[in-house]
Amino acid sequence: MLEHMYPQAVEAGIPATEYWGMTLEEIMIQVQANKKVKENELKEKAMFDYSQQRLAVFAFNDPKKFPKFEDAYPFLKQIEQAVEEAKTEDESKQDAMKRDQEIFLTQAQAINATRERRKLIEER
């Protein structure tokens, strides 16, 4: 059965090198996922095309009312905010890691100082 599905699966976006190692369920899930990705890409392209045409109408008919970039593509602000939040989260993780390293170094120095004191006591 898998031999008969091979051409259609490859056309649906499943890599030929991975097809033979997949179960029927995995193939069906991957086909559905590839279909959903393609639909989302087409919707995104349609949205951009529509926005571009709207902006062209503004530019031609009434350039004074031409919207600002942020108004024309409001979702880009959301993407920018998500990126900034991810950066902030990453920076806070790095700060926490630096604090942990400082604590570790302080503890290591305290241990070394204690060992040095013990050596001095034992030498007496």
Side-chain angles (χ1 to χ4, degrees):
M1 180 166 90
L2 292 178
E3 292 89 17
H4 300 294
M5 289 178 51
Y6 178 71
Q8 290 85 9
V10 173
E11 285 177 15
I14 295 177
T17 55
E18 295 178 15
Y19 176 79
W20 297 108
M22 299 172 79
T23 65
L24 179 60
E25 183 179 4
E26 291 171 331
I27 292 169
M28 298 308 292
I29 289 171
Q30 188 64 52
V31 166
Q32 291 298 320
N34 291 350
K35 179 181 173 189
K36 192 73 166 173
V37 166
K38 185 66 174 174
E39 287 174 359
N40 288 339
E41 288 173 355
L42 290 173
K43 286 178 184 177
E44 185 178 289
K45 184 177 179 341
M47 185 178 69
F48 276 114
D49 290 346
Y50 178 77
S51 294
Q52 186 178 26
Q53 291 303 314
R54 267 187 39 221
L55 293 174
V57 168
F58 271 112
F60 183 75
N61 291 326
D62 198 357
K64 292 179 182 176
K65 290 186 179 179
F66 195 82
K68 294 181 181 179
F69 181 78
E70 296 81 15
D71 296 334
Y73 299 104
F75 60 90
L76 293 178
K77 187 71 172 171
Q78 294 170 346
I79 293 171
E80 185 178 319
Q81 288 173 345
V83 168
E84 288 299 321
E85 288 173 8
K87 283 183 184 177
T88 303
E89 183 179 324
D90 188 45
E91 288 171 356
S92 65
K93 286 180 182 179
Q94 287 179 354
D95 289 342
M97 183 178 70
K98 286 179 183 177
R99 284 191 303 273
D100 290 345
Q101 286 175 343
E102 290 171 0
I103 291 169
F104 179 74
L105 287 174
T106 303
Q107 290 173 345
Q109 290 169 348
I111 290 170
N112 285 336
T114 302
R115 287 180 182 164
E116 290 295 323
R117 284 193 304 270
R118 281 187 183 168
K119 278 185 186 178
L120 291 174
I121 292 174
E122 289 174 1
E123 290 176 357
R124 291 183 191 174

